[in-house]
Amino acid sequence: MASDLALPINSVLADILEAIASHHQIILQAPTGAGKSTALPLAILQSGIVAGKIIMLEPRRVATRGVASFIAQQLSQPLGEQVGYRVRGDSKVGKHTQLEVVTEGVLTRMIQDDPELNGVDLIIFDEIHERHLPTDIGLALALEVQSSLREDLTILAMSATLDELELSTLLPEAVTITSEGRSFPVEVLYRPVSSSQDWLAHMASIIVEEVNSGKDTGAILAFLPGQKEINQLAKRLLASISEKVLVCPLYGNLSAAEQDKAIQAAPVGFQKVVLSTNVAESSLTIEGVTTVVDSGYQRSATFNPKTGVSRLSLTRISQASAIQRSGRAGRLSAGKAIRLWSQEEQGRLSKASMPDIMLSELTSTALDCACWGAKQINELALLTPAPKVHEQLAWQLLQRLCLVDTDNKITPLGRKAHDLGCHPRLAHMLLTAKSIAERQQSDLGLLACLIATIVEARGLPAKGADISRYLPIATQGQMGQQAKQWQRKLAIKGELTSVSLQASDYDIGHLLALAFPDRIAKSRGQLGFLLSNGTGVTLAEEDSLAHETFLVVADFQQTQGRNAGRVYLASALDERLLDNELSQLVQQQRHSGWDDKKGRFFASMRTQIGSIVLSDKPDTNISDADITHALMAQIQQQGLSLLNMTDTAKQLQLRVMMAAHLDNVTDKPWPDFSDSGLLATIEQWLKPYLAGVKTLSQLNKVDIDKLLLNFLSWPQQQRLNELAPVNWPMSTGTKAPIYYQLPTNDQGEAYFDLSQTRALLSVRLQEALGLAQSPTIFDGKLTVSMELLSPARRLLATTADLASFWNGPYVEVKKEMRGRYPKHFWPDDPLNANATKFTKKKTPGL
């Protein structure tokens, strides 16, 4: 942390302190480097203006610890005295702690445990612009506490920018204060990667170039997407630079000591290169940085509702993130930022990153809401509403785990699960295991504590996917402390070490299935495994679980460019569990449909777990209703092409679609005759007439023309013939056919667009003689285009303006046709000639 407190925030400290004394909602806009995360809370403490406790929410663990440590140092106090911190699994607070810096949903837990927040007078939300989900939820709950229980509670929302943030909507009574950022200039250079070069190698060469430049550049801060790239780049640099250059990784899974090494100033005579994820983008200050090298990448986790897991992908950062990152070079003095992309590409980056709530799995958030009494996440005052699909899946999983009821009201089991403070899946496993263990007098509850610890652990060593291999380390160090914490919360007696040595695959598989019933997997040979939720996953061929028949998968990831997810944690599943402890997951379902290869209906009784079929036995008890249902399903799947859609039926379809847009006279609305509209109403116009139809060939003989016509009322049929006749009476007595045309989309489905809608009337040219204008239909709203044919019925011309045709193109047509068809009438004055359908010899008067 920077030791210089002559920060821009100092110029508005008096205004902020006055606002805290007189208002209960304050919005502070202060750019990165202004000192809002450090100097401001320190000044509030020293002013004595807040008598009670101050809670300050930081979105990242590294920053939480760093901010608390820095403020404690300024007060010449150890952590845990006046200033402390809480992160999940680690805290340093004491009975005299007034300022607590917290993160990772700790604030949400505090509010849930004590909705009145007794003793808390001020809550500070830092870096709201980063839009972390715990921050959004914490702010929403704090606002509810303030509005309903604690009018005296003060909320201070701090953001580097207010662009596209509707904070004033959530805090309508807030006073807004703006602080300037540091004015140290940052030179931005663009060094894009060539198409033939690996970006990581390019980044390494840029950093080596900066280190070897001979200039006193201070510390270099390099931004990379993740731990994997950081470790790869560190190896490259250590092989190319002096021992006087310290290469310091910085990411969330590092120990506190390693994080401190990256944050603190380099020893005298050494230069420091910090390789960081985006944890260093905002509130965390790294001593001595004057140069930033930015890869421009981030690793984004986006929840995939189809698979129920988050998909990792390497993506470009936003313009806002690029600005934040480059600003790190100018906190202490003038600096420079090197971006490994072009200036042109900078302009194409998205303006800002997506809020977490749009990208995250929401099961824990939904349980928080249920515990609070909300039945929908969007009942809370949120800056961005939760996606409906993500929220729906979260509630469905909570219902399946019996943590909420069908009305999303929290159950007694759900209340206990929330009190455990872990993911609802693991909480359900822990509580169920404890209940089973008490009945059976077994150690299943203790084993569940170890399994939960392994699943939640960060940075596990590489021991393969089999979760049993991690049991010995789950009893040691920080993991062991977490396992013992679960043991204490559940009030389970016993020795974790002995349980870890005696654990069986049978019990481990049982426990994991309690947490992940939708991730039971069955082998499908070289294609890997199929999860019960329908997702495909794979294991490394050399992994000990690769040849198992059944698995339960605790952790897998989908990555960009791969069709199947990669399994990272799993257990073998003993098939006997499916007949005993897990029998409630097994369902008997009748499955029927059409066998496309055999061209016939089939039915069977399937025993399955979700998408996994355990057995499939033929069912010979087939009714007419079964066949009709299967036929309807086939039509819905393959479309109207399965039906005998004759030209007459298709023309009727187009005529009705045009009438629906061009006619506003009828009392009864025209039905939707588009492909999708007819499929949506197929139960009404087709299903009643499928009695006795048992094959696709019989289906193809059903008179669709008649059924579609009968779907229209009698007045509609009459009105349609008036608006859009199928033929036009010529003066010669010929009924010239009219063909209707609509544009089609990429799927071949017709849609209405007046500019591309046509009605074509085909008739021999001699029968149109004397006709000055083309006919009109739909009460004059559409002019018919006429296809004028030769005596041999070959197309001569198409026109919707006969008068123009007679006065122009007809002259050339007449010259050519007189020689080819001398027996037919080609008058010089077609407008005043009589129409005929005969040759000159058979036409009187010629």
Side-chain angles (χ1 to χ4, degrees), residues 27-31 157-163 176-180:
I27 297 173
L28 172 61
Q29 178 179 359
M158 306 194 301
S159 177
T161 175
L162 295 180
D163 292 346
T176 299
I177 300 170
T178 301
S179 169
E180 299 298 327

Side-chain angles (χ1 to χ4, degrees), residues 462-484:
K463 291 179 176 289
D466 191 344
I467 201 169
S468 66
R469 297 189 175 188
Y470 300 91
L471 286 172
I473 64 171
T475 63
Q476 305 169 15
Q478 190 171 352
M479 290 179 68
Q481 293 176 9
Q482 178 64 73
K484 290 176 182 176

Side-chain angles (χ1 to χ4, degrees), residues 230-244:
I230 287 174
N231 292 333
Q232 289 176 345
L233 182 58
K235 288 182 180 179
R236 289 175 185 259
L237 294 178
L238 290 172
S240 307
I241 56 178
S242 164
E243 294 180 355
K244 290 290 186 180

Side-chain angles (χ1 to χ4, degrees), residues 560-749:
Q560 204 170 18
R562 289 183 179 177
N563 294 327
R566 185 64 176 267
V567 175
Y568 291 102
L569 272 181
S571 171
L573 181 74
D574 193 312
E575 197 170 352
R576 291 174 296 173
L577 284 163
L578 302 179
D579 296 322
N580 298 292
E581 289 90 337
L582 300 178
S583 60
Q584 74 278 5
L585 300 178
V586 180
Q587 295 179 328
Q588 295 279 343
Q589 289 187 339
R590 191 170 190 271
H591 180 71
S592 61
W594 286 96
D595 187 324
D596 290 332
K597 293 182 179 179
K598 297 181 179 179
R600 61 179 177 83
F601 175 81
F602 71 90
S604 64
M605 290 300 297
R606 286 185 176 178
T607 303
Q608 56 192 97
I609 302 177
S611 297
I612 297 174
V613 177
L614 302 176
S615 65
D616 192 0
K617 298 179 180 179
D619 182 1
T620 57
N621 186 22
I622 299 173
S623 67
D624 289 345
D626 289 332
I627 297 176
T628 300
H629 178 76
L631 281 171
M632 297 294 286
Q634 279 290 97
I635 297 169
Q636 290 287 1
Q637 181 180 354
Q638 298 189 28
L640 299 177
S641 60
L642 278 183
L643 306 177
N644 184 23
M645 291 293 289
T646 63
D647 286 343
T648 301
K650 291 177 181 177
Q651 282 293 296
L652 176 61
Q653 181 185 14
L654 298 181
R655 290 163 66 210
V656 174
M657 288 177 65
M658 294 166 72
H661 288 85
L662 297 175
D663 179 39
N664 52 11
V665 174
T666 55
D667 295 332
K668 183 180 179 182
W670 292 96
D672 184 356
F673 262 42
S674 66
D675 285 1
S676 56
L678 289 175
L679 287 172
T681 56
I682 201 168
E683 296 273 342
Q684 302 171 41
W685 63 268
L686 178 62
K687 185 178 180 180
Y689 306 98
L690 293 184
V693 176
K694 297 185 177 182
T695 65
L696 293 179
S697 60
Q698 289 176 335
L699 176 66
N700 197 250
K701 294 177 181 179
V702 174
D703 190 349
I704 302 301
D705 303 359
K706 182 178 179 181
L707 296 186
L708 289 180
L709 187 61
N710 289 340
F711 195 44
L712 302 175
S713 66
W714 176 250
Q716 285 177 326
Q717 294 181 30
Q718 297 298 105
R719 178 66 176 162
L720 185 63
N721 288 333
E722 294 173 10
L723 294 171
V726 295
N727 50 56
W728 191 265
M730 306 299 293
S731 61
T732 59
T734 296
K735 292 183 178 181
I738 300 178
Y739 296 94
Y740 294 85
Q741 294 181 343
L742 287 178
T744 56
N745 57 24
D746 293 340
Q747 288 73 44
E749 182 176 0

Side-chain angles (χ1 to χ4, degrees), residues 4 50 56 158 205 226 275 455 544 605 640 674 728 751 812:
D4 176 17
V50 178
M56 179 169 168
M158 306 194 301
S205 66
L275 309 181
V455 173
S544 61
M605 290 300 297
L640 299 177
S674 66
W728 191 265
Y751 64 94
E812 294 302 320

